[in-house]
Amino acid sequence: MTTMLDVTDVTAGVCCTPLVREPLTAAEAEQLATTMKALADPTRLRLLSIVAASDQAEACVCDLIEPVGLSQPTVSHHLKILTTAGFLTRSKRGTWAYYTLVPGALDRVSRFLVAS
Amino acid sequence: MTTMLDVTDVTAGVCCTPLVREPLTAAEAEQLATTMKALADPTRLRLLSIVAASDQAEACVCDLIEPVGLSQPTVSHHLKILTTAGFLTRSKRGTWAYYTLVPGALDRVSRFLVAS
């Protein structure tokens, strides 16, 4: 049983040097795979890209339902996975929840994939 | 039913502008998610990192079994997924299969995740 990697661990050096430079340990690979799983879903990638491309990299859940054509509970489920994985933060204002891209979170994941 | 994205499609512009710049289309998200799924497994990440960190970014399947502690059929299954996804190429020399990292394949995926 592994826990979802908080991508902020990455900057703290918990995980990993770029994977092309030296072999990942079993523990590093588990953490990185768990983070990748959060991204390995088309709905979550679309939600993430809509939030990221929004003004101030923030979007109301009310604006995320129609573009992906799914129910609000399903959309909220996917947003929760992205939030737990450290890609989004959630804040409640009035009736609606707003999601904001965590600055640098995607960059940190991308850094594991490149050589330099 | 989606097919595994050949990451060479990426350089041909089939998929995608960085996801933080503009929302992914449904088709782009399906392709990218399928590629991410190939990476969202700890054994595959370790195999990929061992191959990538090897001399000339090439490794014999015979040298990949012990480090991950799995059977040869299981290791070969994971290597096939990485090959189909465009991250590795396979060549047979004598008794053994050798796997080589496809130059730029990981870089191309990482580029979808960054802003610039």
Side-chain angles (χ1 to χ4, degrees), chain B residues 13-75:
Chain B
V14 175
C15 174
C16 323
T17 49
L19 66 81
V20 300
R21 274 205 265 152
E22 60 182 79
L24 298 174
T25 66
E28 288 171 338
E30 286 284 351
Q31 286 191 308
L32 189 52
T34 306
T35 299
M36 288 287 186
K37 274 178 200 154
L39 298 177
D41 178 276
T43 300
R44 290 199 287 278
L45 284 171
R46 291 189 73 198
L47 290 169
L48 198 56
S49 72
I50 295 166
V51 172
S54 296
D55 192 35
Q56 316 254 2
E58 182 186 72
C60 172
V61 67
C62 57
D63 293 325
L64 296 170
I65 295 160
E66 187 274 332
V68 295
L70 296 169
S71 69
Q72 190 186 328
T74 302
V75 170

Side-chain angles (χ1 to χ4, degrees), chain A residues 37-61:
Chain A
K37 273 176 200 156
L39 297 177
D41 177 276
T43 300
R44 290 199 287 277
L45 285 171
R46 291 189 74 199
L47 290 169
L48 198 55
S49 72
I50 295 166
V51 172
S54 297
D55 193 34
Q56 316 255 4
E58 181 187 74
C60 172
V61 67

Side-chain angles (χ1 to χ4, degrees), chain A residues 70-90:
Chain A
L70 296 168
S71 70
Q72 191 188 328
T74 302
V75 170
S76 292
H77 165 75
H78 286 300
L79 290 168
K80 189 173 182 187
I81 291 172
L82 290 168
T83 303
T84 306
F87 293 112
L88 297 177
T89 52
R90 178 183 186 276

